Amino acid sequence: MEKLEAKNIMTKKRRKKRALLPFRLNVLFVIVFLLFSALVLQLGVVQIINGEEHQAVLEATTNDIAEISVPRGMIYDSGGNVIVGNEPVYSITYTPPKNGDPADKRLDIATKLADIIKMEDKSIEKITEREYKEYWFLLNTEEANKRITASEKESLDDAEEYDTTLDRITEDDYKELENDEKAKQIISIKRELDSATELVPHVIKNKDVSEREYATIAENMGDMSGINVTTDWIRNYPYDGSLQGILGGIKTGIPEGEEDYYKSRNYQLNDRIGTSGLEKEYESLLKGDKKRVRYVTDNNNNIVSQEVISEGQRGQDLQLSINMDFQKELDKIVRDELKSAINRHPGANSYLEDAMAVMLNPNTGEIYAASGQHYNRENYEYESADMNTVFSANAVGSTVKGATLLAGYQEGVVNMGDVFIDKKMKIAGTEPKGSYKDMGPTSDLQALQKSSNVYMFNVALRLGGEYHYKYNQSVSFEPDSFRVLRNYYNQVGLGVETGIDLPSESTGYVGNAGQAGNLMDFSIGQYDTYTTMQLAQYISTIANGGYRIKPHFVSEIHEPSNKKDELGPLADTVSPEVLNKITATDEQIERVKTGFEMVFQTSNGTASRHLTNKAKSYNIAGKTGTAQTSKNGTDLENWTLIGYADADNPDIAFAIMVPNLGIISGGQQYPITYNIANRALEYYYEHTAPEEE
């Protein structure tokens, strides 16, 4: 009985529990319903009652993304020393609002700034006639507008009307401005304001900003909308301009005529861009990733808010194969020797102005040093002109004879060991041609050793189809032989682009006459012209066994480092690039190399008497060259010298060119090319060459 009562009690409790559950669920549903109702009601209020107000706010604001330049990547030498760096400087900037400021407001800002800052002299010197007219127009708008009739205005759009108005402003109107220093300062500043891009800080001045200028601007920024003071960077060159031409330069603004190219790559009008040398060649790496900022502006173009989307990253760094200690020493050597040649024989060398030298690794194409020195006869000063190594093309003389001999071997017109009698040659109707002396029976090796012109003349005539030459008689000649010989020259780097990592280079002059005598001149380097860099690639091709390798300055690319003036993680390595393998056999190449050794290391070699004993110990091989030329009726000579060391296992090759040396009657010309080679090789082996393992 007790068990039955307990059971009934439990059953009643369960029923009561089940009855409470639906009630609680109903309460929960009611609460949820009320919350959703409140939310719907609020949405209705927002959309129906306040919808127009909120829509107006949305329509009154605009989102814009501005991209701001970052510092460029730096350039280091092979030892990790900074060659091109970024120096922090005070900077005065102008950031235009959305859609920019009107011209009269920019003029007002420029006028106020002109009371505080002084622009660079070169900025003042750049003022154009149009800028004077535009400034005068802003000061005298009413008078200027009267110079166009109402009927004229009807046929002109706004731009045409403005240009016509400027055309009618005369020099008499603005000539007083040319002597008004304050006006010129205003015009120079306004030029910078006019070239700024909306919402992007534009540098007005970042060179020689004084503390007074910086502080005064900072105190008065509220009176000049968009003007700010900050820190910026400029390029600095710790090595006093050495290698400056090859390093190149940058400028603010897209180069004229290249707008489409740069705009398609997201450049802005006030970006700093590499314009020459390595700065231009590696622009895509050096420029970095821009900082990106989102601006929200209202319908009055006022900035409501801004947000940095990306901090950006400065450009990647370049490490060169150039050793700057070696580079500076080569600059000094070339300049010293150029100066000595001019001072020793000032009369004979009155046209001597330039000397060039290139030192590189023949197996990798890495350039260790490249120097061009120029004597400016107008101001009597010596100047660096390193770009002459890739742009100054000259007749090079006998240095090409190795290439001529290889062409003869490959065409089968001469065999290794063949002998020709070296004596004067003459084609009917032409002047006699010969070597510097009659050498008698001469082999191919001796032709290189003693620099026989006659041997190469015979190779050239056979290339042209003449195998039975007779003195003072006409010869058979195939004009296509020029193309054949040039093709072989091209294989070793003569007459074609070397592929060097610079924006452009000269390939030299190509003669267009087609006579047998011209082909003979061509075979001894007296016809087409070549650069020092082409000679360096040519001798490297011989030195390394026949591989034409692209010469290059950049050896590695590094990510930016967080530490000052220190290379960051390696991003990429520039590997040797073989452009072609010459078609000569290994045996033919070795034959030419043997002849090149004889040039430097035997008593009859044309280079042997000018080398010091120390230089001979480097086991040098190579070729000398002298080309006859003239200037203003004066007979001159171009001297060239190419070589590599050591001859058995070369780790350095060189090419030296000195055009327009005078011819000294009864005396010896200063041995400038040999002295440069001696001193440069001595420095290389004592200070730069890798230690033997």
Side-chain angles (χ1 to χ4, degrees):
M1 188 68 177
E2 290 178 359
K3 289 183 179 180
L4 182 59
E5 286 180 4
K7 186 176 181 180
N8 289 336
I9 291 171
M10 292 296 294
T11 301
K12 287 178 181 179
K13 287 182 177 180
R14 290 192 188 99
R15 287 176 181 169
K16 187 176 181 181
K17 218 170 194 180
R18 282 197 294 269
L20 287 172
L21 187 59
F23 175 76
R24 291 174 179 172
L25 286 173
N26 287 335
V27 171
L28 180 61
F29 287 146
V30 169
I31 293 171
V32 171
F33 173 76
L34 291 174
L35 289 173
F36 271 106
S37 297
L39 180 60
V40 170
L41 181 62
Q42 182 63 30
L43 288 173
V45 170
V46 170
Q47 186 164 350
I48 297 170
I49 299 176
N50 299 325
E52 291 184 7
E53 181 182 344
H54 287 289
Q55 183 65 31
V57 172
L58 275 174
E59 291 175 353
T61 60
T62 306
N63 283 275
D64 293 284
I65 305 296
E67 295 187 331
I68 301 171
S69 294
V70 295
R72 288 175 74 81
M74 305 206 297
I75 303 178
Y76 295 78
D77 80 343
S78 60
N81 302 300
V82 176
I83 307 175
V84 182
N86 297 321
E87 178 183 348
V89 292
Y90 285 146
S91 177
I92 300 168
T93 65
Y94 167 62
T95 305
K98 175 72 174 176
N99 297 325
D101 282 320
D104 58 347
K105 185 172 182 180
R106 296 196 301 273
L107 176 62
D108 179 61
I109 295 171
T111 303
K112 291 176 179 177
L113 278 176
D115 289 329
I116 304 172
I117 67 174
K118 184 177 186 301
M119 299 295 282
E120 287 185 284
D121 290 341
K122 67 178 182 180
S123 178
I124 302 298
E125 293 167 2
K126 286 166 54 178
I127 295 176
T128 63
E129 178 187 40
R130 183 180 177 90
E131 288 176 324
Y132 279 120
K133 288 183 175 182
E134 287 177 335
Y135 180 61
W136 188 90
F137 172 83
L138 289 171
L139 297 179
N140 304 273
T141 304
E142 186 175 347
E143 179 182 345
N145 285 334
K146 291 178 181 178
R147 299 186 181 186
I148 299 183
T149 65
S151 60
E152 286 178 315
K153 291 180 180 179
E154 291 178 0
S155 62
L156 300 173
D157 60 29
D158 290 345
E160 292 171 335
E161 181 181 335
Y162 180 66
D163 287 340
T164 303
T165 304
L166 292 185
D167 287 341
R168 294 182 183 178
I169 297 172
T170 67
E171 185 177 357
D172 287 337
D173 292 323
Y174 67 80
K175 65 181 180 181
E176 291 184 2
L177 298 176
E178 295 177 331
N179 297 315
D180 186 336
E181 293 303 318
K182 175 70 176 294
K184 290 193 285 189
Q185 287 289 326
I186 294 171
I187 294 170
S188 181
I189 294 169
K190 186 175 177 295
R191 179 198 302 132
E192 297 301 329
L193 304 184
D194 292 344
S195 62
T197 302
E198 61 181 40
L199 302 177
V200 177
H202 176 83
V203 174
I204 299 171
K205 180 180 179 182
N206 66 355
K207 291 182 179 179
D208 301 322
V209 176
S210 69
E211 291 186 7
R212 183 195 64 80
E213 289 175 330
Y214 188 91
T216 307
I217 294 290
E219 292 172 3
N220 294 276
M221 287 192 300
D223 297 332
M224 296 174 285
S225 175
I227 298 300
N228 195 9
V229 286
T230 182
T231 55
D232 193 28
W233 57 270
I234 58 173
R235 283 308 217 193
N236 70 321
Y237 303 90
Y239 287 88
D240 299 324
S242 182
L243 212 67
Q244 184 63 60
I246 285 168
L247 293 171
I250 62 173
K251 65 169 288 187
T252 299
I254 295 175
E256 186 176 353
E258 299 183 58
E259 291 84 0
D260 292 342
Y261 173 85
Y262 283 103
K263 286 181 179 179
S264 68
R265 286 157 176 78
N266 204 33
Y267 281 81
Q268 296 167 343
L269 293 176
N270 60 349
D271 281 345
R272 277 172 277 197
I273 301 171
T275 56
S276 61
L278 297 175
E279 291 273 20
K280 182 175 183 178
E281 180 72 9
Y282 291 93
E283 168 68 19
S284 62
L285 300 177
L286 291 167
K287 69 182 180 69
D289 296 321
K290 293 182 178 180
K291 179 179 181 179
R292 302 180 78 238
V293 180
R294 177 187 287 115
Y295 291 97
V296 179
T297 56
D298 61 21
N299 58 356
N300 292 319
N301 296 324
N302 297 312
I303 297 175
V304 176
S305 65
Q306 65 183 65
E307 175 192 3
V308 176
I309 301 173
S310 169
E311 290 289 350
Q313 186 179 49
R314 77 167 178 84
Q316 292 178 305
D317 297 329
L318 307 180
Q319 184 169 25
L320 309 188
S321 54
I322 292 283
N323 178 296
M324 282 308 292
D325 289 337
F326 190 15
Q327 175 66 42
K328 287 188 69 177
E329 184 65 21
L330 186 63
D331 285 340
K332 181 179 185 302
I333 291 169
V334 176
R335 183 171 294 192
D336 284 350
E337 296 301 330
L338 177 61
K339 186 181 297 186
S340 293
I342 292 172
N343 291 343
R344 292 283 185 90
H345 307 291
N349 287 332
S350 59
Y351 289 104
L352 175 59
E353 295 179 350
D354 294 288
M356 290 80 73
V358 173
M359 317 290 289
L360 75 168
N361 186 321
N363 305 303
T364 65
E366 293 176 300
I367 300 171
Y368 295 147
S371 179
Q373 299 298 316
H374 174 74
Y375 180 53
N376 187 325
R377 292 187 176 274
E378 291 186 4
N379 58 18
Y380 307 105
E381 290 183 356
Y382 289 87
E383 307 165 341
S384 291
D386 44 76
M387 285 298 284
N388 280 348
T389 58
V390 295
F391 279 114
S392 179
N394 299 278
V396 300
S398 297
T399 47
V400 306
K401 288 177 178 175
T404 302
L405 203 52
L406 284 173
Y409 292 153
Q410 292 172 87
E411 283 296 298
V413 300
V414 64
N415 297 310
M416 289 181 283
D418 281 356
V419 173
F420 290 101
I421 304 300
D422 186 306
K423 62 180 181 180
K424 288 283 190 298
M425 300 179 68
K426 187 177 187 304
I427 298 173
T430 68
E431 293 296 317
K433 297 177 183 290
S435 304
Y436 61 91
K437 68 175 183 178
D438 289 347
M439 301 178 187
T442 304
S443 70
D444 52 342
L445 292 180
Q446 291 171 321
L448 294 176
Q449 174 197 30
K450 297 186 285 186
S451 201
S452 169
N453 290 343
V454 171
Y455 199 100
M456 304 304 154
F457 292 159
N458 278 281
V459 173
L461 289 176
R462 290 190 173 192
L463 285 170
E466 179 57 72
Y467 280 78
H468 305 289
Y469 159 80
K470 291 184 179 179
Y471 190 84
N472 202 27
Q473 294 189 15
S474 60
V475 297
S476 300
F477 179 66
E478 172 53 58
D480 192 53
S481 53
F482 277 98
R483 180 191 61 80
V484 172
L485 187 53
R486 281 200 181 97
N487 284 344
Y488 286 114
Y489 279 15
N490 294 168
Q491 284 187 30
V492 296
L494 297 175
V496 292
E497 291 185 349
T498 65
I500 193 168
D501 52 346
L502 289 172
S504 59
E505 60 174 316
S506 171
T507 56
Y509 165 82
V510 176
N512 56 17
Q515 299 176 343
N518 299 128
L519 185 65
M520 293 165 70
D521 293 337
F522 185 28
S523 71
I524 62 168
Q526 294 274 174
Y527 195 53
D528 288 2
T529 65
Y530 311 109
T531 68
T532 312
M533 194 62 69
Q534 286 175 318
L535 287 180
Q537 187 178 64
Y538 157 50
I539 191 60
S540 293
T541 303
I542 301 299
N544 67 37
Y547 295 91
R548 185 167 76 95
I549 297 175
K550 182 185 291 187
H552 57 94
F553 289 99
V554 174
S555 59
E556 292 181 350
I557 298 159
H558 290 257
E559 298 294 350
S561 172
N562 294 324
K563 297 182 179 180
K564 180 177 171 59
D565 297 344
E566 186 174 303
L567 282 164
L570 180 66
D572 197 8
T573 299
V574 178
S575 301
E577 183 176 346
V578 177
L579 300 176
N580 61 267
K581 171 73 166 67
I582 66 176
T583 53
T585 66
D586 291 345
E587 187 180 9
Q588 291 166 345
I589 296 170
E590 286 301 319
R591 184 76 174 178
V592 169
K593 291 175 73 172
T594 299
F596 279 2
E597 288 182 46
M598 294 169 65
V599 169
F600 279 82
Q601 299 186 42
T602 62
S603 58
N604 290 327
T606 53
S608 60
R609 70 188 180 92
H610 293 294
L611 290 177
T612 64
N613 290 330
K614 179 175 285 190
K616 285 183 179 180
S617 69
Y618 302 143
N619 193 20
I620 308 171
K623 188 71 186 74
T624 60
T626 304
Q628 280 68 49
T629 184
S630 65
K631 210 166 196 177
N632 298 327
T634 300
D635 290 334
L636 303 167
E637 293 178 335
N638 299 340
W639 282 21
T640 55
L641 185 66
I642 59 176
Y644 53 90
D646 78 30
D648 299 324
N649 186 25
D651 56 17
I652 190 166
F654 61 87
I656 301 164
M657 180 184 294
V658 183
N660 300 321
L661 281 155
I663 299 174
I664 299 175
S665 177
Q668 292 293 319
Q669 177 60 268
Y670 183 74
I672 179 171
T673 53
Y674 304 99
N675 288 356
I676 292 172
N678 278 328
R679 293 177 62 185
L681 287 171
E682 182 175 346
Y683 184 89
Y684 172 76
Y685 281 112
E686 290 190 3
H687 301 281
T688 307
E691 295 182 5
E692 295 184 5
E693 297 181 359

